[in-house]
Every structure is written in structure tokens, then in C-alpha cells.
Amino acid sequence: WQEAMCTMGRELGYVVTIAGRRRQLPGLRSQSWGQLGSAKRAAINTPLQGSAADIMMLAMVRIARNIELRDLGWRMVLQIHDEVIL
């Protein structure tokens, strides 16, 4: 999977999250070992952490739009990492 993400990033110039957000990674075509290594780590990390952020964002939107929670007096107070505090 890791190599597939690096290959996709090299071919397309970007990697995507589960929600379709793109991160451009021109460094995957670099001749510099430092830039290439950094871009490879980003190509592997972005789909994972970016997708987790996408899921959290969608959850917060659904919580904010939930009429039942609002009617019960619940409101979103804080979001920290992977937790939402109501």
C-alpha cells in the first residue's frame, strides 16, 4: 500500500484523502534524496491523517446539524484530535 501511494503520487503529482482532497507532491519527482524522502513520507501519511481529518470534519458537521441534539440542549464545545466534546 505504501509503495502504491508513492507510485500514485509520482504519476499524478498528488495523493488524495477519502473525501477527495488532494495534496500536491512535486518532491516525488525530485532528484534530491532529502526532498524525495520527505515527499514519500507525505505521500504515505497524507491519505491516513488527511482521511481521519475528513471523517472528523464530517462528524462535526453532522453533530452541528442534528436537530435532536440541539433540542436536547447539547452543543459542540470542543474538538481535540479524534474526540468531540458536547
Side-chain angles (χ1 to χ4, degrees), residues 18-54:
I18 197 169
R21 289 187 304 126
R22 293 181 181 183
R23 180 170 182 185
Q24 301 294 323
L25 294 169
L28 287 175
R29 296 179 180 152
S30 176
Q31 298 298 317
S32 163
W33 284 102
Q35 286 182 346
L36 181 61
S38 177
K40 280 185 174 184
R41 288 188 295 277
I44 294 165
N45 187 49
T46 296
L48 296 173
Q49 283 194 327
S51 294
D54 290 344

Side-chain angles (χ1 to χ4, degrees), residues 49-71:
Q49 283 194 327
S51 294
D54 290 344
I55 292 167
M56 182 57 81
M57 179 187 63
L58 292 172
M60 289 189 307
V61 168
R62 290 183 73 179
I63 290 168
R65 292 182 179 169
N66 189 302
I67 295 169
E68 291 177 30
L69 289 176
R70 194 175 315 141
D71 289 347

Side-chain angles (χ1 to χ4, degrees), residues 9-20:
R10 192 171 29 260
E11 290 173 357
L12 300 176
Y14 61 86
V15 292
V16 295
T17 67
I18 197 169

